[in-house]
Every structure is written in C-alpha cells, then in structure tokens.
Amino acid sequence: MRTPEEIMQDLESRVAVIQERAGRAEELLADSAVTLADEDELVTVTVNAGGNLTGLRFSPQARGLSGTGLADLVLQVYNQALEESGRKTAEIMSTLLGEDSEAMSVITGFTSPRTES
C-alpha cells in the first residue's frame, strides 16, 4: 500500500507533466498561424489558431475583380485557411488531451469544417 507521501509525489509528478505539455501546446498554438492564397495569388489571408482573420492582402491584379468576385474569393480562401487552422489546432491539442479523449472530441467538433445549411 502506498503512503500518503508517495501518492502526493505521484500527483505532483503528473501535474508537472500536464503543465509542461500545456506550456508546449500554448507555444505551438501561438506559432500556428495559417497563411493561404488562392491559386492565382490574388488574395492572401492569415488566420490564427482560433480561426480569427489576422491578415488580408490583395495583389494589384485583384483590382480586376468585381466587388462580389473579390468578396467570394476572400471567403473561399478564408474558409480554406480556417479548415487548415482547425486541423493544426486539433493536432496540437491532441498531444495535450489525448487523441481519443472526450475533451478532444469537443475540440474536434469546433474545429471541423462546417457545412452550410
């Protein structure tokens, strides 16, 4: 039978491992921005790990697009970047939470591509 001291040491050791993994996940998430452009590189978007748009650039050739065409292209590239960001975020978080954990299934539900209804 283990002593209370052994139980506490084991618990402290587990907490230290979790803290180390969480710190590493935080670093990876901070550095996991996704930047994508369309095939013709008219529009380039950057999204962070949370899927927030953090950068948007247009090439000079983008001036030839209509407003609607440009808006559609921005949304298309943004959605592709969002999908890639979700994959990266899920991959990073699975190292912390465990790929088959219940918490990971919640994250995957939020980071998976959404289909329009």
Side-chain angles (χ1 to χ4, degrees):
M1 179 170 226
R2 294 180 350 160
T3 67
E5 291 80 18
E6 291 172 329
I7 293 170
M8 283 303 295
Q9 285 177 336
D10 183 49
L11 182 59
E12 288 171 358
S13 175
R14 289 181 186 196
V15 168
V17 168
I18 291 169
Q19 286 176 327
E20 187 273 326
R21 286 183 184 168
R24 182 69 182 135
E26 186 175 12
E27 290 172 9
L28 291 170
L29 288 170
D31 294 334
S32 70
V34 172
T35 300
L36 288 179
D38 67 284
E39 182 177 291
D40 297 321
E41 297 186 355
L42 300 174
V43 172
T44 303
V45 301
T46 301
V47 297
N48 65 15
N52 296 312
L53 181 67
T54 60
L56 177 61
R57 290 189 315 268
F58 302 109
S59 76
Q61 293 77 17
R63 291 179 185 219
L65 296 174
S66 68
T68 302
L70 184 58
D72 289 345
L73 190 55
V74 168
L75 286 174
Q76 175 190 338
V77 177
Y78 170 73
N79 284 328
Q80 291 170 349
L82 187 60
E83 199 173 310
E84 178 65 23
S85 174
R87 278 193 294 273
K88 285 177 78 172
T89 298
E91 184 179 308
I92 291 166
M93 293 307 295
S94 71
T95 64
L96 175 64
L97 302 172
E99 197 170 320
D100 297 329
S101 70
E102 187 175 331
M104 196 58 221
S105 66
V106 171
I107 288 174
T108 301
F110 283 105
T111 60
S112 296
R114 294 175 181 88
T115 56
E116 292 193 26
S117 16

